[in-house]
Amino acid sequence: MAERMPVESTAKLAVLIDADNAQPSAVVELLAEVAKFGTAHVKRAYGDWTGTRLSGWKAHLLAQSIQPVQQFAYTTGKNATDAAMVIDAMDLLYTGRFDGFCIVSSDSDFTRLAARIRESGLTVYGFGERKTPAPFVAACDKFIYIENLGAVGAPVEAKQASRNVITQLRGDTALVNLLRRAVEAASDDEGWAHLANVGNIITKQRPDFDARTWGYTKLSDLIDATALFEVRRRIPGDGKPAVVYARDKRRAGETPRQAAAEQ
């Protein structure tokens, strides 16, 4: 995925919002999250704007410069909004002007659309609530839960000092195994792994992985909080920002030969 994604600051994105399955209260945080991945050159929200059900969206459409796309419900029980989004997405895809798409919905009907866009070599970011079906989540390169947007937890220092937090994190077997395997996969002969590479490996396996799910804003903070890893920040020099590395504490004290023998 890292090879396919363009540089985040230059990526041209199309943001397509299923207003029937998204909350207007989260739109500010949602667009702020989108800005981390690139620039939204297209922002469209789909729904039947003639009724009152989507009235909560109208103020946000103007404030955030989101283009509303009117879609009448021609037949009861048929979701015309989904069809309109899919058609527009394919039209935009064929222009060749975009590097990625942001699909905002908790509806599994967009699973095939996400897969099709990825087949064309573009990056797909999904946004939805935790109730989003697993197939749609897995079809995206990266999936962000709406509940994590704007989430502010307790100070990291306080969390790290809490034995209860450490116990809870270590008790999450799936999380511990995921972190350990990713660190091992990205590690050098001495067991140190560049955390950016660790994050890429995790996202390939779990598109919905997000440190904010456990109350941490960064992967480095989450890994540090488990107390299962050594974390070091190295300054490359020339005014460049620090680079974070992690190593499983079980590897501490091993020589490269010992580590190779265990593998």
Side-chain angles (χ1 to χ4, degrees):
M1 183 178 68
E3 295 178 355
R4 183 145 48 91
M5 287 184 180
V7 177
E8 291 180 356
S9 60
T10 62
K12 297 178 181 179
L13 304 176
V15 182
L16 307 181
I17 304 172
D18 177 6
D20 292 331
N21 285 285
Q23 297 299 321
S25 57
V27 69
V28 175
E29 289 82 3
L30 186 151
L31 292 178
E33 190 77 12
V34 169
K36 296 178 182 179
F37 307 120
T39 302
H41 286 249
V42 167
K43 292 181 287 185
R44 298 177 184 174
Y46 298 77
D48 186 354
W49 304 102
T50 61
T52 59
R53 196 168 67 84
L54 300 180
S55 59
W57 271 98
K58 294 182 179 179
H60 295 285
L61 297 177
L62 181 62
Q64 302 300 327
S65 189
I66 300 173
Q67 178 187 356
V69 179
Q70 172 62 31
Q71 187 58 51
F72 294 100
Y74 297 107
T75 306
T76 302
K78 299 293 184 181
N79 197 333
T81 298
D82 290 3
M85 277 185 62
V86 170
I87 292 170
D88 274 11
M90 297 309 295
D91 286 344
L92 293 171
L93 174 64
Y94 290 141
T95 66
R97 295 187 292 113
F98 298 92
D99 301 304
F101 282 73
C102 299
I103 302 175
V104 185
S105 179
S106 301
D107 193 335
S108 63
D109 289 348
F110 296 105
T111 300
R112 181 65 188 115
L113 173 62
R116 176 63 183 84
I117 293 173
R118 292 181 68 186
E119 288 172 2
S120 295
L122 277 67
T123 303
V124 177
Y125 303 98
F127 294 81
E129 299 176 9
R130 292 196 188 279
K131 66 181 182 180
T132 304
F136 179 36
V137 173
C140 300
D141 287 288
K142 176 70 177 175
F143 195 91
I144 298 94
Y145 290 117
I146 298 297
E147 291 87 344
N148 283 336
L149 299 180
V152 179
V156 172
E157 294 80 5
K159 289 180 178 180
Q160 292 173 339
S162 171
R163 292 185 178 180
N164 289 336
V165 170
I166 294 175
T167 301
Q168 290 173 3
L169 292 176
R170 289 186 175 185
D172 189 335
T173 305
L175 172 64
V176 170
N177 289 338
L178 182 66
L179 295 177
R180 277 181 163 159
R181 289 170 182 167
V183 168
E184 182 61 33
S187 65
D188 57 21
D189 289 341
E190 296 182 351
W192 289 102
H194 192 309
L195 215 57
N197 295 335
V198 174
N200 286 336
I201 291 172
I202 290 175
T203 301
K204 289 177 182 178
Q205 298 176 16
R206 284 269 308 273
D208 61 342
F209 180 86
D210 192 332
R212 289 172 295 189
T213 299
W214 291 269
Y216 295 87
T217 57
K218 299 178 181 179
L219 175 60
S220 59
D221 294 332
L222 174 60
I223 283 183
D224 203 13
T226 65
L228 296 171
F229 302 88
E230 295 178 86
V231 177
R232 290 184 181 177
R233 289 168 172 80
R234 302 175 185 175
I235 307 297
D238 299 327
K240 297 180 180 179
V243 179
V244 183
Y245 289 82
R247 180 171 70 172
D248 194 325
K249 286 184 176 179
R250 298 178 302 181
R251 293 287 300 271
E254 287 183 345
T255 65
R257 181 177 299 178
Q258 289 172 324
E262 288 185 3
Q263 296 175 1

